[in-house]
Amino acid sequence: MTEDTLNPKTPWQDLTIGGNIYTAGNAKEFKTGDWRSVKPIFKSELCKQCGLCFPVCPDDAIPVNKDLKREDFDYDACKGCGVCAKVCPFKAIVME
Ligand code: SF4
Ligand code: SF4
């Protein structure tokens, strides 16, 4: 595997120098999930749909459906910061 094939969606040539972000609200333009070293796991059986987690995600990586219920993580965008796991009062998100 070469550096060109590590992530065919975002080849290294398309990254900014130092991984800098120059404009706000552009997370969708990058596969920021590649930055992650730990990932949140959604335990749907424990989720009460309280709605505390998705507003705090800095990468809009917790999809909400038309019934205003959260769905599983968008791992292309999730950076693994762990904020969602911190705010969940029902331990429905664990970091692995
Ligand atoms: S770990 Fe961070 S980036 Fe990932 S879904 Fe949770 S709050 Fe969003
Ligand atoms: S904070 Fe926890 S219980 Fe509330 S919606 Fe998110 S995962 Fe579900």
Side-chain angles (χ1 to χ4, degrees):
M1 180 177 284
T2 69
E3 59 208 1
D4 287 333
T5 60
L6 283 174
N7 183 351
K9 291 180 181 170
T10 311
W12 65 270
Q13 294 95 332
D14 291 348
L15 298 176
T16 58
I17 294 173
N20 288 334
I21 303 291
Y22 299 115
T23 57
N26 67 352
K28 293 245 182 271
E29 296 171 25
F30 297 91
K31 298 294 179 193
T32 46
D34 286 352
W35 305 0
R36 198 177 53 238
S37 59
V38 290
K39 72 192 274 192
I41 305 294
F42 181 38
K43 306 278 186 186
S44 58
E45 70 279 7
L46 297 177
C47 176
K48 309 285 188 225
Q49 295 294 345
C50 68
L52 289 177
C53 57
F54 47 83
V56 300
C57 175
D59 285 297
D60 197 19
I62 304 177
V64 179
N65 67 26
K66 62 180 173 49
D67 297 322
L68 299 180
K69 298 203 185 296
R70 67 149 294 172
E71 297 182 344
D72 204 355
F73 293 101
D74 173 0
Y75 289 120
D76 277 348
C78 167
K79 290 198 198 88
C81 68
V83 171
C84 56
K86 267 282 193 223
V87 301
C88 178
F90 302 104
K91 302 195 184 317
I93 303 169
V94 294
M95 302 301 290
E96 289 186 358

PDB file of all heavy atoms in Angstrom, residues 3-17:
ATOM      1  N   GLU A   3       1.263   5.659  -0.090  1.00  0.00           N
ATOM      2  CA  GLU A   3       0.579   6.803   0.523  1.00  0.00           C
ATOM      3  C   GLU A   3      -0.604   7.261  -0.317  1.00  0.00           C
ATOM      4  O   GLU A   3      -1.546   7.850   0.170  1.00  0.00           O
ATOM      5  CB  GLU A   3       1.566   7.952   0.724  1.00  0.00           C
ATOM      6  CG  GLU A   3       2.205   8.412  -0.568  1.00  0.00           C
ATOM      7  CD  GLU A   3       3.584   8.993  -0.341  1.00  0.00           C
ATOM      8  OE1 GLU A   3       4.044   9.017   0.800  1.00  0.00           O
ATOM      9  OE2 GLU A   3       4.197   9.407  -1.321  1.00  0.00           O
ATOM     10  N   ASP A   4      -0.565   6.986  -1.634  1.00  0.00           N
ATOM     11  CA  ASP A   4      -1.676   7.382  -2.509  1.00  0.00           C
ATOM     12  C   ASP A   4      -2.917   6.541  -2.271  1.00  0.00           C
ATOM     13  O   ASP A   4      -4.025   6.953  -2.585  1.00  0.00           O
ATOM     14  CB  ASP A   4      -1.282   7.242  -3.980  1.00  0.00           C
ATOM     15  CG  ASP A   4      -0.308   8.331  -4.385  1.00  0.00           C
ATOM     16  OD1 ASP A   4      -0.351   9.406  -3.770  1.00  0.00           O
ATOM     17  OD2 ASP A   4       0.484   8.083  -5.296  1.00  0.00           O
ATOM     18  N   THR A   5      -2.752   5.336  -1.756  1.00  0.00           N
ATOM     19  CA  THR A   5      -3.895   4.441  -1.614  1.00  0.00           C
ATOM     20  C   THR A   5      -4.345   4.285  -0.174  1.00  0.00           C
ATOM     21  O   THR A   5      -5.263   3.525   0.101  1.00  0.00           O
ATOM     22  CB  THR A   5      -3.559   3.050  -2.187  1.00  0.00           C
ATOM     23  OG1 THR A   5      -2.450   2.527  -1.483  1.00  0.00           O
ATOM     24  CG2 THR A   5      -3.260   3.134  -3.664  1.00  0.00           C
ATOM     25  N   LEU A   6      -3.715   4.993   0.761  1.00  0.00           N
ATOM     26  CA  LEU A   6      -4.135   4.872   2.156  1.00  0.00           C
ATOM     27  C   LEU A   6      -5.598   5.256   2.307  1.00  0.00           C
ATOM     28  O   LEU A   6      -6.358   4.605   2.995  1.00  0.00           O
ATOM     29  CB  LEU A   6      -3.276   5.766   3.057  1.00  0.00           C
ATOM     30  CG  LEU A   6      -1.883   5.232   3.365  1.00  0.00           C
ATOM     31  CD1 LEU A   6      -1.092   6.272   4.134  1.00  0.00           C
ATOM     32  CD2 LEU A   6      -1.968   3.937   4.140  1.00  0.00           C
ATOM     33  N   ASN A   7      -5.997   6.358   1.687  1.00  0.00           N
ATOM     34  CA  ASN A   7      -7.400   6.762   1.705  1.00  0.00           C
ATOM     35  C   ASN A   7      -7.743   7.327   0.338  1.00  0.00           C
ATOM     36  O   ASN A   7      -7.476   8.492   0.057  1.00  0.00           O
ATOM     37  CB  ASN A   7      -7.671   7.796   2.797  1.00  0.00           C
ATOM     38  CG  ASN A   7      -9.145   8.159   2.853  1.00  0.00           C
ATOM     39  OD1 ASN A   7      -9.927   7.764   1.978  1.00  0.00           O
ATOM     40  ND2 ASN A   7      -9.532   8.900   3.863  1.00  0.00           N
ATOM     41  N   PRO A   8      -8.348   6.513  -0.517  1.00  0.00           N
ATOM     42  CA  PRO A   8      -8.621   6.988  -1.868  1.00  0.00           C
ATOM     43  C   PRO A   8      -9.598   8.152  -1.901  1.00  0.00           C
ATOM     44  O   PRO A   8      -9.622   8.914  -2.861  1.00  0.00           O
ATOM     45  CB  PRO A   8      -9.206   5.754  -2.566  1.00  0.00           C
ATOM     46  CG  PRO A   8      -9.446   4.736  -1.528  1.00  0.00           C
ATOM     47  CD  PRO A   8      -8.709   5.140  -0.285  1.00  0.00           C
ATOM     48  N   LYS A   9     -10.414   8.332  -0.824  1.00  0.00           N
ATOM     49  CA  LYS A   9     -11.377   9.441  -0.811  1.00  0.00           C
ATOM     50  C   LYS A   9     -10.679  10.778  -0.602  1.00  0.00           C
ATOM     51  O   LYS A   9     -11.119  11.803  -1.098  1.00  0.00           O
ATOM     52  CB  LYS A   9     -12.414   9.237   0.293  1.00  0.00           C
ATOM     53  CG  LYS A   9     -13.347   8.085   0.023  1.00  0.00           C
ATOM     54  CD  LYS A   9     -14.344   7.955   1.157  1.00  0.00           C
ATOM     55  CE  LYS A   9     -15.280   6.806   0.929  1.00  0.00           C
ATOM     56  NZ  LYS A   9     -16.091   6.505   2.101  1.00  0.00           N
ATOM     57  N   THR A  10      -9.643  10.803   0.197  1.00  0.00           N
ATOM     58  CA  THR A  10      -8.912  12.040   0.457  1.00  0.00           C
ATOM     59  C   THR A  10      -7.423  11.765   0.308  1.00  0.00           C
ATOM     60  O   THR A  10      -6.745  11.522   1.287  1.00  0.00           O
ATOM     61  CB  THR A  10      -9.203  12.576   1.874  1.00  0.00           C
ATOM     62  OG1 THR A  10     -10.600  12.604   2.090  1.00  0.00           O
ATOM     63  CG2 THR A  10      -8.641  13.984   2.049  1.00  0.00           C
ATOM     64  N   PRO A  11      -6.919  11.794  -0.926  1.00  0.00           N
ATOM     65  CA  PRO A  11      -5.476  11.557  -1.085  1.00  0.00           C
ATOM     66  C   PRO A  11      -4.675  12.650  -0.404  1.00  0.00           C
ATOM     67  O   PRO A  11      -5.159  13.776  -0.240  1.00  0.00           O
ATOM     68  CB  PRO A  11      -5.287  11.581  -2.602  1.00  0.00           C
ATOM     69  CG  PRO A  11      -6.503  12.233  -3.156  1.00  0.00           C
ATOM     70  CD  PRO A  11      -7.609  12.042  -2.160  1.00  0.00           C
ATOM     71  N   TRP A  12      -3.471  12.326  -0.011  1.00  0.00           N
ATOM     72  CA  TRP A  12      -2.672  13.274   0.779  1.00  0.00           C
ATOM     73  C   TRP A  12      -2.453  14.580   0.042  1.00  0.00           C
ATOM     74  O   TRP A  12      -2.309  15.638   0.646  1.00  0.00           O
ATOM     75  CB  TRP A  12      -1.331  12.648   1.182  1.00  0.00           C
ATOM     76  CG  TRP A  12      -0.420  12.350   0.033  1.00  0.00           C
ATOM     77  CD1 TRP A  12      -0.339  11.204  -0.688  1.00  0.00           C
ATOM     78  CD2 TRP A  12       0.548  13.243  -0.543  1.00  0.00           C
ATOM     79  NE1 TRP A  12       0.591  11.304  -1.669  1.00  0.00           N
ATOM     80  CE2 TRP A  12       1.165  12.537  -1.603  1.00  0.00           C
ATOM     81  CE3 TRP A  12       0.958  14.540  -0.260  1.00  0.00           C
ATOM     82  CZ2 TRP A  12       2.158  13.112  -2.392  1.00  0.00           C
ATOM     83  CZ3 TRP A  12       1.949  15.112  -1.039  1.00  0.00           C
ATOM     84  CH2 TRP A  12       2.532  14.404  -2.094  1.00  0.00           C
ATOM     85  N   GLN A  13      -2.480  14.530  -1.299  1.00  0.00           N
ATOM     86  CA  GLN A  13      -2.252  15.763  -2.062  1.00  0.00           C
ATOM     87  C   GLN A  13      -3.366  16.786  -1.818  1.00  0.00           C
ATOM     88  O   GLN A  13      -3.162  17.981  -2.024  1.00  0.00           O
ATOM     89  CB  GLN A  13      -2.196  15.460  -3.559  1.00  0.00           C
ATOM     90  CG  GLN A  13      -1.011  14.602  -3.980  1.00  0.00           C
ATOM     91  CD  GLN A  13      -1.380  13.134  -4.052  1.00  0.00           C
ATOM     92  OE1 GLN A  13      -2.271  12.668  -3.357  1.00  0.00           O
ATOM     93  NE2 GLN A  13      -0.677  12.394  -4.902  1.00  0.00           N
ATOM     94  N   ASP A  14      -4.554  16.316  -1.392  1.00  0.00           N
ATOM     95  CA  ASP A  14      -5.678  17.235  -1.176  1.00  0.00           C
ATOM     96  C   ASP A  14      -5.718  17.820   0.231  1.00  0.00           C
ATOM     97  O   ASP A  14      -6.545  18.684   0.523  1.00  0.00           O
ATOM     98  CB  ASP A  14      -7.012  16.509  -1.437  1.00  0.00           C
ATOM     99  CG  ASP A  14      -7.195  16.190  -2.908  1.00  0.00           C
ATOM    100  OD1 ASP A  14      -6.426  16.723  -3.738  1.00  0.00           O
ATOM    101  OD2 ASP A  14      -8.092  15.394  -3.217  1.00  0.00           O
ATOM    102  N   LEU A  15      -4.855  17.341   1.119  1.00  0.00           N
ATOM    103  CA  LEU A  15      -4.860  17.866   2.482  1.00  0.00           C
ATOM    104  C   LEU A  15      -4.183  19.235   2.523  1.00  0.00           C
ATOM    105  O   LEU A  15      -3.284  19.527   1.719  1.00  0.00           O
ATOM    106  CB  LEU A  15      -4.130  16.905   3.426  1.00  0.00           C
ATOM    107  CG  LEU A  15      -4.752  15.518   3.564  1.00  0.00           C
ATOM    108  CD1 LEU A  15      -3.870  14.643   4.457  1.00  0.00           C
ATOM    109  CD2 LEU A  15      -6.150  15.610   4.135  1.00  0.00           C
ATOM    110  N   THR A  16      -4.628  20.069   3.465  1.00  0.00           N
ATOM    111  CA  THR A  16      -3.967  21.360   3.627  1.00  0.00           C
ATOM    112  C   THR A  16      -2.675  21.157   4.405  1.00  0.00           C
ATOM    113  O   THR A  16      -2.519  20.185   5.148  1.00  0.00           O
ATOM    114  CB  THR A  16      -4.865  22.347   4.397  1.00  0.00           C
ATOM    115  OG1 THR A  16      -5.190  21.780   5.666  1.00  0.00           O
ATOM    116  CG2 THR A  16      -6.142  22.646   3.630  1.00  0.00           C
ATOM    117  N   ILE A  17      -1.740  22.083   4.254  1.00  0.00           N
ATOM    118  CA  ILE A  17      -0.462  21.967   4.950  1.00  0.00           C
ATOM    119  C   ILE A  17      -0.709  22.001   6.449  1.00  0.00           C
ATOM    120  O   ILE A  17      -1.400  22.883   6.959  1.00  0.00           O
ATOM    121  CB  ILE A  17       0.484  23.114   4.518  1.00  0.00           C
ATOM    122  CG1 ILE A  17       0.827  22.937   3.043  1.00  0.00           C
ATOM    123  CG2 ILE A  17       1.732  23.149   5.387  1.00  0.00           C
ATOM    124  CD1 ILE A  17       1.615  24.082   2.449  1.00  0.00           C
TER     125      ILE A  17
END
